[in-house]
Amino acid sequence: MQEQTTNDHKTLEFTPEVEHLTQPFYDRIKHVMPDVEWPIHAPVIAAINELKKTRNAIIMAHNYQTPEIFYGVGDITGDSLALAQRGAKIDAEVIVMCGVKFMAETAKILSPEKTVLLPDLSAGCSLAESITGADVRKLGEQYPGVPVVTYVNAYADVRAEADICCTSGNAVKIVESLNTDRVIFVPDGYLGRYVAQQTDVEVILWEGACEVHERFTADELRGYRNNFPGIHIVAHPECPPDVLSEADFVGSTAGMIDHIGTERPKQVVMVTECSMSDHVAIKYPDVDFIRPCNLCPHMKYITLPKILLALQTLEPQIEVDEDTAERARRSLERMLAV
Ligand code: 13P
Ligand code: SF4
């Protein structure tokens, strides 16, 4: 029998009861997880699922979380847009965000009365860190009267200065909803370029980039086509333009999943964070996935033991000051209303 200890020194054991309780989760993910790993995860999953009832907590898990988190403890799962939309309506006292800090801020801004926990505060984002509220104010002075659209991969101070938020799933629609000739688009330069290709609206860019998606190259994608004839390539719009032009489909994390569900290609490469392919392979076992592995180090700060500890201690909490939250809420709510 394997044993492990959480930071509060409770011993978690893989007992027959834990095995029985967690078997349905393992059955879902067993073809992407070796069976030797399950006795390590199962006791923590059982403890988290028990404690979240006591705490009246909901666990949100982004598509880039590992399968044991996504399928084992996630109550609300999906892309940034789905987490924001569903978080706004959720009935719970505590939200545990298994994602990164800007996602936890979204949850707090939309549900200020709830306790929002981010199990590791190091879970940042290279895009969110590329810009500040002061930068947005300067852009506003440089381009007076031009509305600012911010990708939600930005911190609350940036959203507070913006007119409206967007996600990768609705960016074109949001830009067009403003009925204007020009927009300032922050902070993702590649997503901004992708949006500019899909619309007649002029897009003024900020050159932030996602450290995970900017690593993919067009050569790498051509290599997949040569090595796996007939392969279907789907990519996230945070990738550089020459990478996107090699793809058969471009979409948000949820968009890519839906696309694969509809098209059911025989063989796919998902040009995005590694954990995504595991989730989609679990959902569509008939599809063969070639898996390039670019990990988001921020997403991977979140682990089962840290989620358990967060629920035990109700720390670390995400706070957004009232004035910033009020202004950031307006730009988020404008997005949710489109
Ligand atoms: P989605 O909005 O597509 O879920 O993407 C979030 C993200 O962080 C992508 O890198
Ligand atoms: Fe940020 Fe990129 Fe990680 Fe998404 S994948 S959280 S954009 S660093």
Side-chain angles (χ1 to χ4, degrees):
M1 188 179 295
Q2 298 204 20
E3 284 186 359
Q4 59 185 310
T5 316
T6 58
N7 294 358
D8 73 343
H9 308 299
K10 270 193 191 151
T11 301
L12 296 167
E13 293 180 15
F14 188 53
T15 60
E17 192 197 347
V18 165
E19 186 173 8
H20 173 74
L21 274 175
T22 58
Q23 192 62 40
F25 303 122
Y26 186 58
D27 285 343
R28 287 206 77 186
I29 67 174
K30 63 185 170 198
H31 77 279
V32 299
M33 181 172 289
D35 56 8
V36 291
E37 275 188 36
W38 191 243
I40 302 167
H41 299 310
V44 197
I45 288 173
I48 290 171
N49 286 335
E50 185 60 32
L51 191 53
K52 76 184 174 192
K53 287 186 225 148
T54 323
R55 293 286 196 210
N56 188 15
I58 286 287
I59 297 189
M60 290 194 182
H62 184 261
N63 286 329
Y64 292 163
Q65 292 295 300
T66 50
E68 68 278 8
I69 293 175
F70 193 85
Y71 288 103
V73 300
D75 300 299
I76 294 182
T77 56
D79 66 353
S80 310
L81 180 60
L83 298 184
Q85 284 169 331
R86 295 188 57 196
K89 296 180 194 139
I90 223 166
D91 181 20
E93 282 168 63
V94 176
I95 294 175
V96 184
M97 177 55 71
C98 300
V100 294
K101 192 172 164 212
F102 72 79
M103 296 176 181
E105 283 192 349
T106 303
K108 185 68 189 176
I109 290 164
L110 293 174
S111 306
E113 73 294 350
K114 296 190 178 94
T115 300
V116 175
L117 305 172
L118 180 65
D120 190 325
L121 292 178
S122 312
C125 169
S126 64
L127 276 172
E129 266 127 54
S130 74
I131 189 162
T132 64
D135 292 325
V136 180
R137 279 197 298 279
K138 268 191 221 146
L139 283 168
E141 285 159 22
Q142 224 178 317
Y143 301 98
V146 180
V148 178
V149 179
T150 182
Y151 188 27
V152 282
N153 296 33
Y155 292 127
D157 61 329
V158 169
R159 299 185 214 178
E161 299 296 335
D163 294 276
I164 192 164
C165 291
C166 74
T167 70
S168 57
N170 63 13
V172 177
K173 192 164 126 191
I174 295 293
V175 164
E176 293 191 335
S177 75
L178 297 171
N179 294 316
T180 173
D181 296 340
R182 291 212 288 179
V183 297
I184 298 168
F185 189 93
V186 299
D188 188 346
Y190 291 140
L191 177 62
R193 283 179 178 81
Y194 175 71
V195 170
Q197 280 174 3
Q198 318 292 313
T199 176
D200 292 334
V201 179
E202 185 193 339
V203 181
I204 298 162
L205 301 168
W206 178 263
E207 295 296 354
C210 161
E211 68 190 84
V212 178
H213 291 91
E214 72 174 348
R215 287 208 299 269
F216 290 103
T217 65
D219 262 359
E220 198 180 335
L221 269 61
R222 285 190 284 269
Y224 291 124
R225 287 216 194 274
N226 289 337
N227 294 331
F228 305 98
I231 197 160
H232 196 69
I233 301 183
V234 297
H236 195 280
E238 288 173 10
C239 295
D242 58 337
V243 171
L244 297 182
S245 62
E246 292 292 332
D248 298 302
F249 175 81
V250 176
S252 73
T253 54
M256 288 190 269
I257 298 172
D258 292 347
H259 174 77
I260 292 169
T262 313
E263 297 293 315
R264 292 299 170 96
K266 277 200 177 66
Q267 200 170 40
V268 173
V269 60
M270 300 191 83
V271 183
T272 189
E273 211 269 353
C274 312
S275 294
M276 272 281 293
S277 300
D278 285 339
H279 303 322
V280 197
I282 290 164
K283 219 170 165 189
Y284 305 118
D286 52 315
V287 179
D288 178 28
F289 287 85
I290 305 303
R291 303 174 194 212
C293 202
N294 281 359
L295 271 178
C296 172
H298 307 285
M299 290 278 177
K300 268 46 197 185
Y301 277 119
I302 309 299
T303 61
L304 286 171
K306 288 182 198 168
I307 298 168
L308 179 58
L309 187 63
L311 275 169
Q312 286 165 335
T313 58
L314 291 182
E315 293 287 345
Q317 295 191 14
I318 293 295
E319 297 294 348
V320 180
D321 79 73
E322 241 172 72
D323 172 58
T324 309
E326 172 67 39
R327 291 184 297 132
R329 191 174 307 119
R330 259 181 263 150
S331 60
L332 270 169
E333 284 175 350
R334 266 185 218 131
M335 169 185 88
L336 294 173
V338 172

